[in-house]
Amino acid sequence: MKKFLCIALAVVLTLGMVAAFAACSKDKGGETTAAATTETKETLVMATNAEFPPYEFHEGDKIVGIDAEIAQAIADKLGMELKIEDVQFDSIIPGVQAKKYDMGMAGMTVTDERKESVNFSDSYAKGVQVVIIKEDSDIKSIKDLEGKKIGVQTSTTGDIYATDDFGEENITKFDNGAMATQALVAGKVDCVIIDNEPAKNYVKANAGLKILETSYVEEDYAICFNKENTELMNKVNGALKELIADGTVKSIVDKYIKAD
Ligand code: GLN
C-alpha cells in the first residue's frame, strides 16, 4: 500500500513538473515573439500594376516610378517596410477589399463607383485622359472618335468613359497601355485613350504617333484602402500631407516628369 502511494505521488509530481515546464517554455515563447515584433518593422503591402510609366514600371528587377517612390517615403515616415506587389490593374481593388494588400497605388483615379468598394486617401497627383493617334490620323477632335476603333486598358477610367460615350462595340480592351499602343501602331485600333503621362512615354517610344491636342477627362489620383482600415489611411494621409508640404512629393514628380 505504501509502495502504491509512493508511485502515485511520483506520478503526480512528474505530471506537475511536466506541466510547469510546459507553462514555463510557453511563457518564454510568448516573450520571444513579443520582442521580435517590436524589432521587426511592420510591412506595408502596396498593390500596383507596374506597366504605367512614369508612375510605376520595371527598371531591371526593381519597380520604380512616382508612386513607388512616394509610397517608399510614406513607409519611411511611418517606420514601415514597403512591399510592392505587381498585379493586373483590375485585381488591385478586389485584392484591397479582400485584405490581400494594405493599399492600392497605381495612378488610380478617384471615381464615385470605386468609392463604393474602397476608401481613397487625399489626392497626390492629377491625371488627364488623352487620345493617342497616328500622326496622319483623320481624328481631329473628340467628336471624331464616333464610330472609330478605340483601344483602352481594361477597367481603367479610359475604358469606363469611352465605353459610356462611344459604345462597347467600338472598344478593344488590352491588359496594359503598352499593348494597346502596339495595336495602334499595327493599325488594329484607330486610337488609344489613356492617362497623359503614360501616353507621352508610349508616344516617345513609338515613331509616328502623337497625342490629340484636346484632352478627354481630368481626374485625381489617390491611394485606395480597405473600407475597414481607416486607421492606416489616416496615418498615410498624415505622412502624405507632410511629404507634400516639405516638397518631397514635388521633387519625386519632377524627377520623373520633365517639363517640356
Ligand atoms: N488613371 C486610370 C484609372 O485609374 C489608369 C490607371 C492605370 O492604368 N494604372 O483607371
Side-chain angles (χ1 to χ4, degrees), residues 3-216:
K3 204 171 163 198
F4 175 73
L5 260 180
C6 243
I7 291 171
L9 198 67
V11 168
V12 168
L13 274 176
T14 319
L15 281 177
M17 267 165 71
V18 168
F21 181 75
C24 197
S25 53
K26 203 163 153 206
D27 248 26
K28 224 170 147 201
E31 262 170 45
T32 325
T33 337
T37 18
T38 42
E39 279 162 29
T40 334
K41 284 191 193 167
E42 212 184 316
T43 41
L44 178 63
V45 183
M46 156 185 162
T48 197
N49 174 237
E51 308 280 349
F52 202 65
Y55 294 95
E56 41 268 325
F57 55 101
H58 290 273
E59 204 172 74
D61 57 2
K62 270 186 72 188
I63 293 171
V64 297
I66 295 171
D67 289 345
E69 287 203 25
I70 293 177
Q72 186 60 59
I74 290 171
D76 288 347
K77 249 193 198 304
L78 300 179
M80 296 172 91
E81 180 110 37
L82 181 70
K83 186 167 172 243
I84 302 181
E85 299 263 5
D86 185 17
V87 301
Q88 289 287 94
F89 183 76
D90 59 0
S91 50
I92 298 175
I93 290 182
V96 167
Q97 284 183 288
K99 300 186 179 164
K100 246 168 104 178
Y101 320 118
D102 299 316
M103 62 183 206
M105 191 173 188
M108 188 181 281
T109 305
V110 179
T111 71
D112 287 340
E113 205 186 328
R114 289 175 182 165
K115 273 192 203 164
E116 286 171 16
S117 315
V118 285
N119 282 343
F120 281 101
S121 71
D122 296 336
S123 175
Y124 63 91
K126 296 253 176 231
V128 184
Q129 294 297 312
V130 297
V131 185
I132 311 178
I133 47 175
K134 282 197 166 167
E135 266 166 1
D136 59 1
S137 172
D138 61 352
I139 298 172
K140 304 276 181 254
S141 71
I142 300 295
K143 245 183 26 257
D144 298 337
L145 296 180
E146 214 67 62
K148 289 281 199 283
K149 281 191 224 135
I150 303 171
V152 296
Q153 183 187 351
T154 311
S155 295
T156 58
T157 46
D159 177 6
I160 297 160
Y161 303 146
T163 305
D164 272 0
D165 290 349
F166 304 106
E168 182 101 59
E169 67 283 7
N170 294 309
I171 312 296
T172 313
K173 297 170 194 260
F174 297 90
D175 276 351
N176 57 59
M179 287 164 81
T181 310
Q182 284 318 309
L184 173 61
V185 170
K188 295 198 177 104
V189 294
D190 301 312
C191 66
V192 170
I193 297 182
I194 196 158
D195 304 48
N196 56 333
E197 290 304 331
K200 282 193 220 159
N201 276 264
Y202 296 135
V203 166
K204 209 180 286 169
N206 294 279
L209 301 182
K210 66 175 184 183
I211 296 171
L212 193 66
E213 293 278 339
T214 17
S215 48
Y216 184 39

